[in-house]
mmCIF file of all heavy atoms in Angstrom:
data_model
loop_
_atom_site.group_PDB
_atom_site.id
_atom_site.type_symbol
_atom_site.label_atom_id
_atom_site.label_comp_id
_atom_site.label_asym_id
_atom_site.label_seq_id
_atom_site.Cartn_x
_atom_site.Cartn_y
_atom_site.Cartn_z
ATOM 1 N N GLY A 21 -2.690 13.892 -1.017
ATOM 2 C CA GLY A 21 -2.953 15.090 -1.677
ATOM 3 C C GLY A 21 -4.211 15.258 -2.389
ATOM 4 O O GLY A 21 -4.504 16.250 -2.969
ATOM 5 N N PRO A 49 -0.823 7.823 8.194
ATOM 6 C CA PRO A 49 0.278 7.232 7.627
ATOM 7 C C PRO A 49 1.410 7.516 8.677
ATOM 8 O O PRO A 49 1.742 8.695 8.853
ATOM 9 C CB PRO A 49 0.605 7.710 6.290
ATOM 10 C CG PRO A 49 -0.117 9.073 6.313
ATOM 11 C CD PRO A 49 -1.288 8.946 7.244
ATOM 12 N N SER A 51 5.415 6.699 9.808
ATOM 13 C CA SER A 51 6.676 5.996 9.306
ATOM 14 C C SER A 51 6.881 4.739 10.080
ATOM 15 O O SER A 51 7.026 4.818 11.274
ATOM 16 C CB SER A 51 7.871 6.954 9.373
ATOM 17 O OG SER A 51 9.037 6.237 9.375
ATOM 18 N N PRO A 52 6.973 3.657 9.343
ATOM 19 C CA PRO A 52 7.291 2.338 10.196
ATOM 20 C C PRO A 52 8.791 2.401 10.665
ATOM 21 O O PRO A 52 9.194 1.596 11.482
ATOM 22 C CB PRO A 52 7.129 1.321 9.151
ATOM 23 C CG PRO A 52 7.059 2.005 7.777
ATOM 24 C CD PRO A 52 6.777 3.415 8.057
ATOM 25 N N ASP A 61 -3.132 17.017 10.119
ATOM 26 C CA ASP A 61 -4.344 17.063 9.492
ATOM 27 C C ASP A 61 -5.560 17.095 10.441
ATOM 28 O O ASP A 61 -6.626 17.750 10.198
ATOM 29 C CB ASP A 61 -4.601 15.877 8.599
ATOM 30 C CG ASP A 61 -4.020 16.039 7.198
ATOM 31 O OD1 ASP A 61 -3.713 17.061 6.907
ATOM 32 O OD2 ASP A 61 -4.015 14.914 6.524
ATOM 33 N N HIS A 84 3.938 -4.261 9.618
ATOM 34 C CA HIS A 84 4.076 -4.457 8.113
ATOM 35 C C HIS A 84 3.305 -5.617 7.693
ATOM 36 O O HIS A 84 3.390 -6.135 6.648
ATOM 37 C CB HIS A 84 5.550 -4.485 7.673
ATOM 38 C CG HIS A 84 6.274 -5.607 8.151
ATOM 39 N ND1 HIS A 84 6.956 -5.734 9.360
ATOM 40 C CD2 HIS A 84 6.748 -6.720 7.416
ATOM 41 C CE1 HIS A 84 7.594 -6.792 9.428
ATOM 42 N NE2 HIS A 84 7.477 -7.435 8.228
ATOM 43 N N LEU A 85 2.344 -6.073 8.491
ATOM 44 C CA LEU A 85 1.370 -7.103 7.979
ATOM 45 C C LEU A 85 0.326 -6.474 7.167
ATOM 46 O O LEU A 85 -0.584 -7.123 6.548
ATOM 47 C CB LEU A 85 0.647 -7.825 9.135
ATOM 48 C CG LEU A 85 1.352 -9.227 9.446
ATOM 49 C CD1 LEU A 85 0.672 -10.011 10.453
ATOM 50 C CD2 LEU A 85 1.639 -10.092 8.213
ATOM 51 N N GLN A 94 -10.573 -2.695 16.260
ATOM 52 C CA GLN A 94 -11.022 -2.564 17.730
ATOM 53 C C GLN A 94 -11.556 -1.199 17.992
ATOM 54 O O GLN A 94 -12.601 -1.004 18.549
ATOM 55 C CB GLN A 94 -9.933 -2.919 18.683
ATOM 56 C CG GLN A 94 -9.735 -4.504 18.905
ATOM 57 C CD GLN A 94 -8.852 -5.157 17.887
ATOM 58 O OE1 GLN A 94 -7.656 -4.739 17.746
ATOM 59 N NE2 GLN A 94 -9.373 -5.911 17.089
ATOM 60 N N ARG A 97 -14.888 -0.815 16.420
ATOM 61 C CA ARG A 97 -15.908 -1.450 17.306
ATOM 62 C C ARG A 97 -16.334 -0.666 18.398
ATOM 63 O O ARG A 97 -17.543 -0.630 18.764
ATOM 64 C CB ARG A 97 -15.443 -2.904 17.703
ATOM 65 C CG ARG A 97 -16.569 -3.703 18.273
ATOM 66 C CD ARG A 97 -16.166 -5.140 18.383
ATOM 67 N NE ARG A 97 -16.038 -5.837 17.169
ATOM 68 C CZ ARG A 97 -14.950 -6.183 16.501
ATOM 69 N NH1 ARG A 97 -13.857 -6.056 17.128
ATOM 70 N NH2 ARG A 97 -15.004 -6.730 15.331
ATOM 71 N N GLN A 141 -5.101 4.361 -15.351
ATOM 72 C CA GLN A 141 -4.202 4.356 -14.179
ATOM 73 C C GLN A 141 -5.049 3.776 -13.015
ATOM 74 O O GLN A 141 -4.452 3.069 -12.237
ATOM 75 C CB GLN A 141 -3.722 5.774 -13.918
ATOM 76 C CG GLN A 141 -2.611 6.306 -14.980
ATOM 77 C CD GLN A 141 -1.387 5.703 -14.982
ATOM 78 O OE1 GLN A 141 -1.104 4.764 -14.147
ATOM 79 N NE2 GLN A 141 -0.482 6.193 -15.769
ATOM 80 N N LYS A 144 -5.403 0.256 -13.291
ATOM 81 C CA LYS A 144 -4.231 -0.436 -12.948
ATOM 82 C C LYS A 144 -3.946 -0.569 -11.518
ATOM 83 O O LYS A 144 -3.472 -1.493 -10.945
ATOM 84 C CB LYS A 144 -2.946 0.235 -13.570
ATOM 85 C CG LYS A 144 -2.725 0.064 -15.136
ATOM 86 C CD LYS A 144 -1.768 0.985 -15.646
ATOM 87 C CE LYS A 144 -0.388 0.907 -14.950
ATOM 88 N NZ LYS A 144 0.526 1.988 -15.588
ATOM 89 N N GLU A 149 -12.289 -1.802 -8.776
ATOM 90 C CA GLU A 149 -12.980 -2.925 -8.234
ATOM 91 C C GLU A 149 -13.120 -2.862 -6.722
ATOM 92 O O GLU A 149 -13.800 -3.692 -6.122
ATOM 93 C CB GLU A 149 -12.247 -4.212 -8.614
ATOM 94 C CG GLU A 149 -12.154 -4.358 -10.177
ATOM 95 C CD GLU A 149 -11.440 -5.637 -10.591
ATOM 96 O OE1 GLU A 149 -11.829 -6.639 -9.888
ATOM 97 O OE2 GLU A 149 -10.603 -5.529 -11.437
ATOM 98 N N ARG A 224 -19.665 -7.959 6.567
ATOM 99 C CA ARG A 224 -19.109 -7.914 7.900
ATOM 100 C C ARG A 224 -18.573 -9.122 8.261
ATOM 101 O O ARG A 224 -17.603 -9.247 9.030
ATOM 102 C CB ARG A 224 -20.238 -7.473 8.752
ATOM 103 C CG ARG A 224 -20.493 -5.955 8.567
ATOM 104 C CD ARG A 224 -21.797 -5.491 9.264
ATOM 105 N NE ARG A 224 -21.832 -4.036 9.037
ATOM 106 C CZ ARG A 224 -22.750 -3.275 9.709
ATOM 107 N NH1 ARG A 224 -23.680 -3.783 10.517
ATOM 108 N NH2 ARG A 224 -22.809 -2.045 9.373
ATOM 109 N N VAL A 225 -19.104 -10.353 7.794
ATOM 110 C CA VAL A 225 -18.449 -11.614 8.050
ATOM 111 C C VAL A 225 -17.070 -11.711 7.458
ATOM 112 O O VAL A 225 -16.137 -12.172 8.065
ATOM 113 C CB VAL A 225 -19.405 -12.834 7.680
ATOM 114 C CG1 VAL A 225 -18.589 -14.093 7.782
ATOM 115 C CG2 VAL A 225 -20.634 -12.883 8.517
ATOM 116 N N ALA A 229 -13.690 -12.136 9.371
ATOM 117 C CA ALA A 229 -12.762 -13.246 9.180
ATOM 118 C C ALA A 229 -11.340 -12.603 8.974
ATOM 119 O O ALA A 229 -10.445 -13.243 9.435
ATOM 120 C CB ALA A 229 -13.275 -13.950 7.856
ATOM 121 N N HIS A 230 -11.306 -11.598 8.225
ATOM 122 C CA HIS A 230 -10.063 -10.906 7.940
ATOM 123 C C HIS A 230 -9.359 -10.497 9.357
ATOM 124 O O HIS A 230 -8.214 -10.720 9.512
ATOM 125 C CB HIS A 230 -10.359 -9.722 7.057
ATOM 126 C CG HIS A 230 -9.129 -8.923 6.679
ATOM 127 N ND1 HIS A 230 -8.313 -9.386 5.557
ATOM 128 C CD2 HIS A 230 -8.561 -7.785 7.147
ATOM 129 C CE1 HIS A 230 -7.354 -8.468 5.392
ATOM 130 N NE2 HIS A 230 -7.480 -7.503 6.370
ATOM 131 N N GLU A 231 -10.219 -9.995 10.176
ATOM 132 C CA GLU A 231 -9.654 -9.493 11.448
ATOM 133 C C GLU A 231 -9.130 -10.680 12.364
ATOM 134 O O GLU A 231 -8.060 -10.668 12.933
ATOM 135 C CB GLU A 231 -10.808 -8.832 12.193
ATOM 136 C CG GLU A 231 -10.231 -8.154 13.481
ATOM 137 C CD GLU A 231 -11.465 -7.471 14.208
ATOM 138 O OE1 GLU A 231 -12.648 -7.329 13.767
ATOM 139 O OE2 GLU A 231 -11.200 -6.931 15.386
ATOM 140 N N GLU A 233 -8.394 -13.692 11.397
ATOM 141 C CA GLU A 233 -7.109 -14.293 10.755
ATOM 142 C C GLU A 233 -5.915 -13.490 11.009
ATOM 143 O O GLU A 233 -4.922 -13.944 11.324
ATOM 144 C CB GLU A 233 -7.402 -14.420 9.170
ATOM 145 C CG GLU A 233 -6.330 -15.208 8.429
ATOM 146 C CD GLU A 233 -6.567 -15.169 7.007
ATOM 147 O OE1 GLU A 233 -7.093 -14.223 6.441
ATOM 148 O OE2 GLU A 233 -6.011 -16.161 6.356
ATOM 149 N N LEU A 237 -2.665 -14.624 12.996
ATOM 150 C CA LEU A 237 -1.395 -14.573 12.407
ATOM 151 C C LEU A 237 -0.408 -13.774 13.330
ATOM 152 O O LEU A 237 0.759 -14.067 13.300
ATOM 153 C CB LEU A 237 -1.407 -14.061 10.918
ATOM 154 C CG LEU A 237 -1.952 -15.052 9.935
ATOM 155 C CD1 LEU A 237 -2.200 -14.372 8.569
ATOM 156 C CD2 LEU A 237 -0.792 -16.098 9.689
ATOM 157 N N ARG A 241 2.953 -14.927 14.379
ATOM 158 C CA ARG A 241 4.205 -14.116 14.068
ATOM 159 C C ARG A 241 4.997 -13.761 15.272
ATOM 160 O O ARG A 241 6.361 -13.847 15.200
ATOM 161 C CB ARG A 241 3.645 -12.832 13.492
ATOM 162 C CG ARG A 241 4.804 -11.889 12.907
ATOM 163 C CD ARG A 241 4.243 -10.589 12.618
ATOM 164 N NE ARG A 241 5.160 -9.765 11.890
ATOM 165 C CZ ARG A 241 5.328 -9.863 10.580
ATOM 166 N NH1 ARG A 241 4.553 -10.565 9.781
ATOM 167 N NH2 ARG A 241 6.333 -9.146 10.006
ATOM 168 N N ARG A 243 5.315 -15.566 17.831
ATOM 169 C CA ARG A 243 5.991 -16.881 18.119
ATOM 170 C C ARG A 243 7.128 -17.119 17.292
ATOM 171 O O ARG A 243 8.247 -17.635 17.661
ATOM 172 C CB ARG A 243 5.051 -18.058 18.055
ATOM 173 C CG ARG A 243 3.978 -18.037 19.136
ATOM 174 C CD ARG A 243 3.279 -19.436 19.286
ATOM 175 N NE ARG A 243 2.015 -19.200 20.135
ATOM 176 C CZ ARG A 243 1.087 -20.163 20.237
ATOM 177 N NH1 ARG A 243 1.387 -21.308 19.670
ATOM 178 N NH2 ARG A 243 0.094 -19.944 21.087
ATOM 179 N N ALA A 257 18.676 -15.787 8.068
ATOM 180 C CA ALA A 257 18.828 -14.787 6.919
ATOM 181 C C ALA A 257 20.400 -14.669 6.417
ATOM 182 O O ALA A 257 20.627 -14.564 5.302
ATOM 183 C CB ALA A 257 18.365 -13.422 7.396
ATOM 184 N N VAL A 261 21.951 -15.071 2.730
ATOM 185 C CA VAL A 261 22.731 -14.068 2.077
ATOM 186 C C VAL A 261 24.126 -14.693 1.704
ATOM 187 O O VAL A 261 24.664 -14.508 0.589
ATOM 188 C CB VAL A 261 22.888 -12.931 3.020
ATOM 189 C CG1 VAL A 261 23.868 -11.906 2.353
ATOM 190 C CG2 VAL A 261 21.541 -12.091 3.085
ATOM 191 N N PRO A 267 15.952 -19.601 0.826
ATOM 192 C CA PRO A 267 14.933 -19.078 1.857
ATOM 193 C C PRO A 267 13.805 -20.099 2.182
ATOM 194 O O PRO A 267 13.351 -20.047 3.333
ATOM 195 C CB PRO A 267 14.237 -17.904 1.086
ATOM 196 C CG PRO A 267 15.114 -17.645 -0.120
ATOM 197 C CD PRO A 267 16.055 -18.787 -0.272
ATOM 198 N N TYR A 268 13.540 -21.031 1.229
ATOM 199 C CA TYR A 268 12.501 -22.003 1.602
ATOM 200 C C TYR A 268 12.944 -22.988 2.664
ATOM 201 O O TYR A 268 12.140 -23.235 3.470
ATOM 202 C CB TYR A 268 12.135 -22.760 0.219
ATOM 203 C CG TYR A 268 11.287 -21.904 -0.728
ATOM 204 C CD1 TYR A 268 11.745 -21.202 -1.707
ATOM 205 C CD2 TYR A 268 9.866 -21.963 -0.432
ATOM 206 C CE1 TYR A 268 10.960 -20.480 -2.612
ATOM 207 C CE2 TYR A 268 8.954 -21.218 -1.350
ATOM 208 C CZ TYR A 268 9.532 -20.464 -2.416
ATOM 209 O OH TYR A 268 8.785 -19.710 -3.183
ATOM 210 N N THR A 279 6.255 -25.593 15.676
ATOM 211 C CA THR A 279 5.084 -26.471 15.931
ATOM 212 C C THR A 279 5.540 -27.877 16.385
ATOM 213 O O THR A 279 6.709 -28.191 16.528
ATOM 214 C CB THR A 279 4.253 -26.512 14.637
ATOM 215 O OG1 THR A 279 5.124 -26.768 13.505
ATOM 216 C CG2 THR A 279 3.570 -25.292 14.423
ATOM 217 N N GLY B 21 0.879 6.976 -12.327
ATOM 218 C CA GLY B 21 0.934 8.123 -13.133
ATOM 219 C C GLY B 21 2.228 8.857 -13.031
ATOM 220 O O GLY B 21 2.262 9.994 -13.876
ATOM 221 N N PRO B 49 0.547 -3.998 -10.572
ATOM 222 C CA PRO B 49 -0.654 -4.144 -9.571
ATOM 223 C C PRO B 49 -1.743 -4.870 -10.278
ATOM 224 O O PRO B 49 -2.118 -4.607 -11.381
ATOM 225 C CB PRO B 49 -1.080 -2.602 -9.456
ATOM 226 C CG PRO B 49 -0.602 -2.008 -10.732
ATOM 227 C CD PRO B 49 0.681 -2.739 -11.149
ATOM 228 N N SER B 51 -5.450 -6.923 -9.633
ATOM 229 C CA SER B 51 -6.583 -6.815 -8.805
ATOM 230 C C SER B 51 -6.686 -7.996 -7.897
ATOM 231 O O SER B 51 -6.729 -9.119 -8.551
ATOM 232 C CB SER B 51 -7.952 -6.606 -9.541
ATOM 233 O OG SER B 51 -9.005 -7.041 -8.724
ATOM 234 N N SER B 54 -10.016 -9.691 -9.052
ATOM 235 C CA SER B 54 -10.203 -10.452 -10.299
ATOM 236 C C SER B 54 -8.985 -11.390 -10.541
ATOM 237 O O SER B 54 -9.130 -12.312 -11.336
ATOM 238 C CB SER B 54 -10.239 -9.429 -11.349
ATOM 239 O OG SER B 54 -9.002 -8.788 -11.556
ATOM 240 N N ASP B 61 1.784 -1.816 -19.902
ATOM 241 C CA ASP B 61 3.028 -1.012 -19.718
ATOM 242 C C ASP B 61 4.264 -1.718 -20.383
ATOM 243 O O ASP B 61 5.095 -0.993 -20.752
ATOM 244 C CB ASP B 61 3.311 -0.719 -18.233
ATOM 245 C CG ASP B 61 2.665 0.578 -17.780
ATOM 246 O OD1 ASP B 61 2.144 1.205 -18.619
ATOM 247 O OD2 ASP B 61 2.684 0.777 -16.606
ATOM 248 N N HIS B 84 -2.683 -10.858 0.162
ATOM 249 C CA HIS B 84 -2.816 -9.669 0.942
ATOM 250 C C HIS B 84 -1.935 -9.688 2.032
ATOM 251 O O HIS B 84 -2.093 -8.880 3.025
ATOM 252 C CB HIS B 84 -4.316 -9.314 1.231
ATOM 253 C CG HIS B 84 -4.949 -10.309 2.117
ATOM 254 N ND1 HIS B 84 -5.332 -11.550 1.738
ATOM 255 C CD2 HIS B 84 -5.215 -10.124 3.541
ATOM 256 C CE1 HIS B 84 -5.972 -12.133 2.854
ATOM 257 N NE2 HIS B 84 -5.816 -11.454 3.916
ATOM 258 N N LEU B 85 -0.846 -10.369 2.083
ATOM 259 C CA LEU B 85 0.151 -10.308 3.199
ATOM 260 C C LEU B 85 1.099 -9.089 2.804
ATOM 261 O O LEU B 85 2.075 -8.725 3.622
ATOM 262 C CB LEU B 85 0.905 -11.597 3.446
ATOM 263 C CG LEU B 85 0.480 -12.465 4.508
ATOM 264 C CD1 LEU B 85 1.364 -13.592 4.553
ATOM 265 C CD2 LEU B 85 0.381 -11.745 5.728
ATOM 266 N N GLN B 94 12.056 -14.511 -5.176
ATOM 267 C CA GLN B 94 12.743 -15.643 -6.038
ATOM 268 C C GLN B 94 13.020 -15.199 -7.426
ATOM 269 O O GLN B 94 14.010 -15.695 -7.897
ATOM 270 C CB GLN B 94 11.603 -16.801 -6.037
ATOM 271 C CG GLN B 94 11.726 -17.626 -4.682
ATOM 272 C CD GLN B 94 10.768 -17.251 -3.627
ATOM 273 O OE1 GLN B 94 9.499 -17.075 -3.903
ATOM 274 N NE2 GLN B 94 11.357 -16.794 -2.544
ATOM 275 N N ARG B 97 16.139 -13.419 -7.403
ATOM 276 C CA ARG B 97 17.262 -14.204 -7.224
ATOM 277 C C ARG B 97 17.731 -15.005 -8.582
ATOM 278 O O ARG B 97 18.903 -15.078 -8.809
ATOM 279 C CB ARG B 97 16.945 -15.214 -6.148
ATOM 280 C CG ARG B 97 18.288 -16.046 -5.624
ATOM 281 C CD ARG B 97 18.067 -16.790 -4.394
ATOM 282 N NE ARG B 97 17.908 -15.873 -3.224
ATOM 283 C CZ ARG B 97 16.842 -15.567 -2.546
ATOM 284 N NH1 ARG B 97 15.672 -16.310 -2.818
ATOM 285 N NH2 ARG B 97 16.897 -14.816 -1.536
ATOM 286 N N LYS B 144 4.315 12.706 5.047
ATOM 287 C CA LYS B 144 3.166 12.074 5.528
ATOM 288 C C LYS B 144 3.129 10.596 5.082
ATOM 289 O O LYS B 144 2.626 9.657 5.775
ATOM 290 C CB LYS B 144 1.896 12.739 5.245
ATOM 291 C CG LYS B 144 1.538 13.963 6.110
ATOM 292 C CD LYS B 144 0.467 14.712 5.551
ATOM 293 C CE LYS B 144 -0.846 13.971 5.405
ATOM 294 N NZ LYS B 144 -1.879 14.729 4.867
ATOM 295 N N GLU B 149 11.706 8.671 4.319
ATOM 296 C CA GLU B 149 12.466 7.830 5.056
ATOM 297 C C GLU B 149 12.854 6.540 4.415
ATOM 298 O O GLU B 149 13.670 5.695 4.823
ATOM 299 C CB GLU B 149 11.941 7.587 6.551
ATOM 300 C CG GLU B 149 11.802 8.896 7.225
ATOM 301 C CD GLU B 149 11.302 8.634 8.582
ATOM 302 O OE1 GLU B 149 11.636 7.686 9.321
ATOM 303 O OE2 GLU B 149 10.337 9.370 9.017
ATOM 304 N N ARG B 224 20.926 -6.692 2.913
ATOM 305 C CA ARG B 224 20.526 -7.982 2.333
ATOM 306 C C ARG B 224 20.086 -8.911 3.464
ATOM 307 O O ARG B 224 19.210 -9.788 3.232
ATOM 308 C CB ARG B 224 21.691 -8.558 1.516
ATOM 309 C CG ARG B 224 21.693 -7.768 0.214
ATOM 310 C CD ARG B 224 22.922 -8.044 -0.654
ATOM 311 N NE ARG B 224 22.913 -7.165 -1.829
ATOM 312 C CZ ARG B 224 23.749 -7.312 -2.867
ATOM 313 N NH1 ARG B 224 24.685 -8.129 -2.781
ATOM 314 N NH2 ARG B 224 23.578 -6.515 -3.904
ATOM 315 N N VAL B 225 20.720 -8.972 4.593
ATOM 316 C CA VAL B 225 20.344 -9.813 5.608
ATOM 317 C C VAL B 225 18.970 -9.440 6.111
ATOM 318 O O VAL B 225 18.119 -10.267 6.339
ATOM 319 C CB VAL B 225 21.364 -9.699 6.842
ATOM 320 C CG1 VAL B 225 20.793 -10.511 8.032
ATOM 321 C CG2 VAL B 225 22.690 -10.439 6.454
ATOM 322 N N ALA B 229 15.781 -11.820 5.942
ATOM 323 C CA ALA B 229 15.046 -12.147 7.112
ATOM 324 C C ALA B 229 13.536 -11.778 6.868
ATOM 325 O O ALA B 229 12.644 -12.697 7.188
ATOM 326 C CB ALA B 229 15.570 -11.267 8.186
ATOM 327 N N HIS B 230 13.272 -10.822 6.184
ATOM 328 C CA HIS B 230 11.900 -10.416 5.676
ATOM 329 C C HIS B 230 11.212 -11.562 4.905
ATOM 330 O O HIS B 230 10.166 -11.958 4.984
ATOM 331 C CB HIS B 230 12.000 -9.054 4.919
ATOM 332 C CG HIS B 230 10.684 -8.530 4.530
ATOM 333 N ND1 HIS B 230 9.804 -7.897 5.358
ATOM 334 C CD2 HIS B 230 10.042 -8.548 3.397
ATOM 335 C CE1 HIS B 230 8.834 -7.483 4.792
ATOM 336 N NE2 HIS B 230 8.838 -7.829 3.602
ATOM 337 N N GLU B 231 12.166 -12.107 3.964
ATOM 338 C CA GLU B 231 11.660 -13.047 2.988
ATOM 339 C C GLU B 231 11.407 -14.413 3.762
ATOM 340 O O GLU B 231 10.313 -15.114 3.592
ATOM 341 C CB GLU B 231 12.661 -13.223 1.915
ATOM 342 C CG GLU B 231 12.235 -14.194 0.805
ATOM 343 C CD GLU B 231 13.297 -14.430 -0.169
ATOM 344 O OE1 GLU B 231 14.437 -13.864 -0.107
ATOM 345 O OE2 GLU B 231 13.116 -15.373 -1.093
ATOM 346 N N GLU B 233 10.852 -14.852 7.025
ATOM 347 C CA GLU B 233 9.767 -14.679 7.824
ATOM 348 C C GLU B 233 8.441 -14.781 7.035
ATOM 349 O O GLU B 233 7.417 -15.383 7.518
ATOM 350 C CB GLU B 233 9.826 -13.313 8.563
ATOM 351 C CG GLU B 233 8.782 -13.190 9.739
ATOM 352 C CD GLU B 233 8.872 -11.738 10.254
ATOM 353 O OE1 GLU B 233 9.323 -10.756 9.577
ATOM 354 O OE2 GLU B 233 8.449 -11.612 11.437
ATOM 355 N N LEU B 237 5.525 -17.438 7.508
ATOM 356 C CA LEU B 237 4.195 -16.918 7.970
ATOM 357 C C LEU B 237 3.150 -17.559 6.826
ATOM 358 O O LEU B 237 2.059 -17.905 7.254
ATOM 359 C CB LEU B 237 4.096 -15.432 7.901
ATOM 360 C CG LEU B 237 4.557 -14.846 9.274
ATOM 361 C CD1 LEU B 237 4.664 -13.346 9.192
ATOM 362 C CD2 LEU B 237 3.693 -15.193 10.424
ATOM 363 N N ARG B 241 0.001 -19.452 7.650
ATOM 364 C CA ARG B 241 -1.202 -18.994 7.167
ATOM 365 C C ARG B 241 -2.057 -20.037 6.443
ATOM 366 O O ARG B 241 -3.282 -20.213 6.677
ATOM 367 C CB ARG B 241 -0.988 -17.937 6.228
ATOM 368 C CG ARG B 241 -2.190 -17.129 5.860
ATOM 369 C CD ARG B 241 -1.858 -16.218 4.648
ATOM 370 N NE ARG B 241 -3.004 -15.401 4.268
ATOM 371 C CZ ARG B 241 -3.297 -14.229 4.987
ATOM 372 N NH1 ARG B 241 -2.511 -13.784 5.895
ATOM 373 N NH2 ARG B 241 -4.410 -13.601 4.697
ATOM 374 N N ARG B 243 -1.931 -23.159 7.050
ATOM 375 C CA ARG B 243 -2.392 -24.016 8.115
ATOM 376 C C ARG B 243 -3.561 -23.461 8.831
ATOM 377 O O ARG B 243 -4.557 -24.187 9.202
ATOM 378 C CB ARG B 243 -1.297 -24.311 9.139
ATOM 379 C CG ARG B 243 -0.200 -25.276 8.598
ATOM 380 C CD ARG B 243 0.719 -25.826 9.648
ATOM 381 N NE ARG B 243 1.977 -26.318 9.078
ATOM 382 C CZ ARG B 243 2.923 -26.681 9.752
ATOM 383 N NH1 ARG B 243 2.999 -26.664 11.106
ATOM 384 N NH2 ARG B 243 4.065 -27.148 9.271
ATOM 385 N N ALA B 257 -15.990 -16.101 12.327
ATOM 386 C CA ALA B 257 -16.296 -14.710 11.889
ATOM 387 C C ALA B 257 -17.757 -14.409 12.075
ATOM 388 O O ALA B 257 -18.159 -13.347 12.532
ATOM 389 C CB ALA B 257 -15.812 -14.433 10.482
ATOM 390 N N VAL B 261 -19.648 -11.423 14.289
ATOM 391 C CA VAL B 261 -20.637 -10.576 13.721
ATOM 392 C C VAL B 261 -21.966 -10.571 14.446
ATOM 393 O O VAL B 261 -22.527 -9.531 14.711
ATOM 394 C CB VAL B 261 -20.963 -10.740 12.179
ATOM 395 C CG1 VAL B 261 -22.071 -9.981 11.680
ATOM 396 C CG2 VAL B 261 -19.560 -10.402 11.314
ATOM 397 N N PRO B 267 -13.219 -10.854 18.556
ATOM 398 C CA PRO B 267 -12.205 -11.276 17.650
ATOM 399 C C PRO B 267 -11.061 -11.937 18.331
ATOM 400 O O PRO B 267 -10.380 -12.811 17.825
ATOM 401 C CB PRO B 267 -11.895 -10.050 16.927
ATOM 402 C CG PRO B 267 -12.788 -9.022 17.228
ATOM 403 C CD PRO B 267 -13.672 -9.410 18.287
ATOM 404 N N TYR B 268 -10.733 -11.298 19.544
ATOM 405 C CA TYR B 268 -9.507 -11.870 20.122
ATOM 406 C C TYR B 268 -9.720 -13.368 20.670
ATOM 407 O O TYR B 268 -8.952 -14.242 20.394
ATOM 408 C CB TYR B 268 -9.148 -11.120 21.387
ATOM 409 C CG TYR B 268 -8.466 -9.725 20.999
ATOM 410 C CD1 TYR B 268 -9.177 -8.570 20.914
ATOM 411 C CD2 TYR B 268 -6.952 -9.782 20.855
ATOM 412 C CE1 TYR B 268 -8.511 -7.429 20.603
ATOM 413 C CE2 TYR B 268 -6.426 -8.576 20.504
ATOM 414 C CZ TYR B 268 -7.158 -7.399 20.267
ATOM 415 O OH TYR B 268 -6.478 -6.237 19.924
ATOM 416 N N THR B 279 -1.723 -25.623 17.032
ATOM 417 C CA THR B 279 -0.486 -25.828 17.671
ATOM 418 C C THR B 279 -0.731 -26.891 18.762
ATOM 419 O O THR B 279 -1.767 -27.256 19.031
ATOM 420 C CB THR B 279 0.179 -24.604 18.140
ATOM 421 O OG1 THR B 279 -0.682 -23.896 18.974
ATOM 422 C CG2 THR B 279 0.714 -23.801 17.110
#
Side-chain angles (χ1 to χ4, degrees):
Chain A
S51 160
D61 271 353
H84 68 284
L85 266 183
Q94 276 88 60
R97 191 165 288 110
Q141 296 284 4
K144 280 168 61 184
E149 299 181 47
R224 288 171 177 185
V225 169
H230 185 78
E231 186 184 356
E233 189 185 25
L237 280 170
R241 186 190 188 88
R243 290 193 193 170
V261 171
Y268 283 94
T279 49
Chain B
S51 161
S54 71
D61 270 354
H84 67 283
L85 266 183
Q94 275 88 63
R97 192 165 288 111
K144 279 168 61 183
E149 298 180 47
R224 287 169 178 187
V225 169
H230 185 77
E231 186 184 356
E233 190 186 23
L237 280 171
R241 187 192 187 83
R243 290 194 195 170
V261 171
Y268 283 95
T279 50

